[in-house]
């Protein structure tokens, strides 16, 4: 089968779609299926991680790649005839950090379905990414958790804030209806075949413990297309509403920072916060979504009140606790530290890992793996103002390592002096500020 168009042309067309979309946020696209061709799907094949778990059909990347050209030709022929139907995703429950007994469902699709979803995500991203607002940070090219944290910290420092709404959306991924996704996509897409394939993906079903469940609700977490689909829904349901409606009806300045379904809203006046809280609940209900009222909080976060001796509250965002502290010059400023809940969860993971692996490896290899895990923690939590929390984690994790090291059966225990000598020869990771969040202070 001859390729329908060369790869460079597909890449160029995606770039042109993004260019047009940036200049006209209302432009609609009628023909998108030609972007699914042998070369574009081959590129997606090489981009997918072959080490990921396999779907219910048990086909791995290596197995699919043995007859890649043949498999892609069959797939494309089925797609042209509208005969391609995604298989159900295999559900795996992942424990939630800091929430004992709570699990997050992860959907693992068949490898061929991942190929189609990967290309679908590229198409959707080229259309919608240029229209997303600056308040959205999650799963976007060139943006990440620390950009959201830095943006929030800078806003809290530079603006008067009286109340922060710590928003918790109830099962956001699991309650997004297929009709809502279709409604959001139709704002920019007229290609009926493309929209039908997305509906088939959403309604493919979930295979859990041998039972197949098909529902009109939920975007499977783990799908290559689910992050951009959830962002598209949140863009139309939350972001545009906040930007075009909420801001116009507030007495003071307000700002929102959203990372997928994790968001906070900063309000200059508490009266605005009360109205936004109520309005957000009504807005979500209108689209079949809802707030977790038990966990959504109105947080008093006024620097002015703190400076007058009135104790203010704290809130969590992306595993960090934001609170009001003092600068070296004595001014009240926003600061942050590792969330206590997340810190405890991470130390429990270290304990579990040491309990399992303490006797499987020699000390140098065990220490090397331990240090790699600690460096990963420092890489994420090593931000301005958080040196003390990171240092506490390293110290506590090292003590856990030493404790379980001496629980290895058939080996002579190591005393603390010998362990210190070992650490001098093999130093643990140091506290490093990988992400500087502060801004230059010119006025104070």
């Amino acid at each position: 089968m001859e390729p329908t168009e060369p790869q460079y042309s597909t890449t160029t067309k995606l770039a042109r779609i993004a260019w047009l979309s940036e200049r006209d946020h209302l432009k609609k696209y009628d023909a998108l299926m030609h972007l699914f061709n042998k070369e574009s799907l081959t590129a997606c094949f090489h981009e997918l991680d072959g080490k990921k778990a396999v779907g219910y059909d048990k086909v791995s990347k290596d197995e699919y790649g043995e007859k890649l050209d043949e498999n892609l030709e069959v797939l494309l022929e089925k797609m042209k005839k509208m005969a391609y139907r995604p298989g159900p995703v295999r559900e795996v429950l992942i424990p939630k950090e800091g929430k004992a007994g709570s699990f997050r469902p992860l959907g693992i699709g068949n490898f061929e379905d991942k190929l189609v979803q990967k290309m679908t995500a590229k198409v959707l991203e080229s259309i919608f990414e240029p229209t997303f607002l600056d308040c959205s940070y999650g799963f976007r090219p060139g943006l990440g958790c620390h950009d959201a944290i830095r943006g929030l910290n800078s806003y809290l420092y530079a603006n008067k804030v009286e109340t922060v709404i710590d928003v918790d959306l109830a099962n956001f991924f699991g309650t997004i209806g297929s009709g809502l996704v279709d409604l959001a996509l139709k704002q920019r897409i007229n290609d009926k075949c493309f929209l039908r394939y997305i509906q088939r993906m959403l309604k493919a079903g979930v295979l859990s413990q041998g039972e197949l469940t098909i529902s009109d609700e939920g975007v499977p977490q783990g799908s290559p297309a689910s992050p951009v689909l959830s962002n598209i829904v949140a863009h139309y349901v939350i972001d545009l509403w906040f930007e075009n409606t909420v801001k116009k009806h507030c007495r003071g300045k307000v700002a929102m920072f959203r990372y997928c379904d994790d968001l906070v809203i900063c309000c200059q006046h508490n009266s605005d916060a009360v109205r936004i809280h109520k309005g957000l609940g009504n807005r979500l209900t209108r689209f079949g979504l809802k707030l977790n009222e038990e966990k959504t909080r109105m947080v008093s976060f006024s620097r002015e009140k703190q400076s007058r001796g009135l104790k203010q509250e704290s809130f969590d965002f992306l595993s960090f606790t934001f609170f009001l502290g003092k600068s070296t010059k004595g001014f009240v400023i926003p600061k942050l530290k590792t969330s206590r809940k997340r810190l405890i969860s991470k130390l429990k993971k270290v304990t579990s890992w040491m309990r399992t692996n303490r006797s499987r490896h020699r000390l140098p290899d065990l220490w090397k793996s331990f240090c790699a895990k600690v460096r990963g923690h420092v890489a994420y939590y090593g931000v301005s103002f958080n040196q003390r929390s990171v240092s506490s984690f390293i110290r506590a994790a090292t003590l856990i390592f030493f404790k379980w090291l001496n629980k290895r059966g058939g080996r002579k225990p190591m005393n603390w002096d010998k362990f210190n000598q070992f650490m001098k020869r093999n130093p643990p990771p140091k506290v490093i500020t990988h992400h500087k969040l502060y801004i230059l202070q010119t006025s104070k």
Side-chain angles (χ1 to χ4, degrees), residues 120-138:
T120 300
K122 288 184 178 183
V123 175
L124 291 174
E125 194 173 273
S126 67
I127 296 171
F128 290 95
E129 170 62 29
T131 69
F132 288 157
L133 305 184
D134 291 340
C135 62
S136 171
Y137 292 87

Side-chain angles (χ1 to χ4, degrees), residues 372-391:
K373 293 180 180 297
V374 173
R375 274 192 293 272
H377 182 92
V378 176
Y380 184 82
Y381 292 97
V383 303
S384 304
F385 310 119
N386 198 36
Q387 292 86 350
R388 182 178 294 179
S389 289
V390 174
S391 180

Side-chain angles (χ1 to χ4, degrees), residues 3 32 69 101 141 151 155 162 174-175 178 207 209 215 236 245 278 328 351:
L32 298 171
D69 288 347
Y155 184 89
E162 184 176 4
T175 53
S178 58
L207 197 63
Q209 297 179 346
S215 173
Y236 285 107
T245 302
K278 181 180 179 181
T328 53
T351 299

